[in-house]
Amino acid sequence: MGMHRDAHIVWDWNGTLFHDVDAVIGATNAAFAELGLEPLTLERYRELYCVPVPKFYERLMGRLPTEAEWELMDATFHRYYTEHRVRCALAEGVAELLAGWSSAGRSQSILSMYGHEDLVPLVRGFGIESHFLRVDGRTGPSGGGKSEHMARHLGALTGVDPARTVVIGDAADDALAARHVGAGAVLYTGGSHSRASLEAVGVPVVDTLAEAVEEAERLAA
């Protein structure tokens, strides 16, 4: 593969390209119910969510979950999510945005903290896999941050310059991962965080993925 002379986008999946917030909230509340915790509203979830995920649970419980509690909640979350993700769809306009970016001669990829073995067939099932140089999901334990995964992801992409790369995601951790590798970032309000918590990160915050792509083009120019 030759050098890519233009901008590159690293897309997040959950809460960004894949509009799965209803399944995520349901899975989180199913996990909380295992410990007798009160269910969360979407607004409360977006206000408090952070990674690593045990820290998010600490904000709600007043303490970190024990190892046994974490394992129970994590297993419950993933079981519920897997059952309910089938009702979820791509975010509005995704297919057109991906096609437009590719047709302009620019490259893109996916890096997600969703398990790799689940992510790849899910992306393939939406018929969008051909737009991406690479699709990487999480390998190893769940619940951690994205920075080291981002370094490996970009390192595996031939000819992609981090300085002309923009990460588009819905979480503060996406911007931290971008900063870790010297890339830009745009954060999208349609997923896991409130606008206020995203704006605190200090990168552009947008309400639509179309705006995110416009910002990515500007940042990578």
Side-chain angles (χ1 to χ4, degrees):
M1 187 176 295
M3 290 293 290
H4 298 284
R5 301 179 186 277
D6 216 325
H8 180 83
I9 290 175
V10 178
W11 292 97
D12 176 54
W13 178 249
N14 303 93
T16 304
L17 291 177
F18 189 44
H19 186 65
D20 62 349
V21 67
D22 290 339
V24 168
I25 296 297
T28 299
N29 285 332
F32 286 176
E34 293 284 358
L35 299 187
L37 299 173
E38 290 295 314
L40 288 176
T41 63
L42 173 60
E43 291 71 25
R44 184 72 170 152
Y45 177 92
R46 285 175 165 165
E47 179 185 336
L48 295 175
Y49 180 75
C50 64
V51 295
V53 177
K55 189 73 176 176
F56 169 52
Y57 290 159
E58 182 183 25
R59 290 181 171 185
L60 292 154
M61 300 169 64
R63 60 174 176 81
L64 281 169
T66 66
E67 185 173 344
E69 287 172 337
W70 163 250
E71 289 177 358
L72 174 63
M73 295 171 81
D74 192 47
T76 301
F77 178 96
H78 285 99
R79 184 172 61 250
Y80 182 101
Y81 179 83
T82 298
E83 291 171 1
H84 290 79
R85 74 181 187 195
V86 296
R87 299 191 183 97
C88 301
L90 295 177
E92 183 178 354
V94 161
E96 294 79 9
L97 289 171
L98 297 178
W101 189 262
S102 294
S103 66
R106 304 180 180 114
S107 59
Q108 51 199 327
S109 59
I110 291 176
L111 175 63
S112 173
M113 297 306 285
Y114 191 43
H116 185 76
E117 299 303 318
D118 292 312
L119 173 68
V120 171
L122 191 54
V123 173
R124 188 171 295 147
F126 282 110
I128 58 174
E129 186 181 20
S130 63
H131 292 301
F132 305 109
L133 297 180
R134 189 175 181 91
V135 175
D136 282 335
R138 172 186 48 78
T139 57
S142 63
K146 208 172 200 176
S147 293
E148 295 305 322
H149 295 270
M150 184 67 72
R152 287 194 296 271
H153 179 75
L154 284 187
L157 293 172
T158 303
V160 170
D161 180 3
R164 299 210 65 203
T165 296
V166 178
V167 176
I168 297 178
D170 69 314
D173 191 52
D174 291 301
L176 297 178
R179 190 174 302 156
H180 181 70
V181 297
V186 180
L187 298 179
Y188 165 60
T189 61
S192 60
H193 281 41
S194 68
R195 173 174 272 278
S197 62
L198 293 179
E199 288 177 340
V201 181
V203 303
V205 176
V206 298
D207 296 318
T208 69
L209 294 182
E211 293 175 279
V213 170
E214 290 174 5
E215 282 291 330
E217 190 169 9
R218 181 184 64 81
L219 289 172

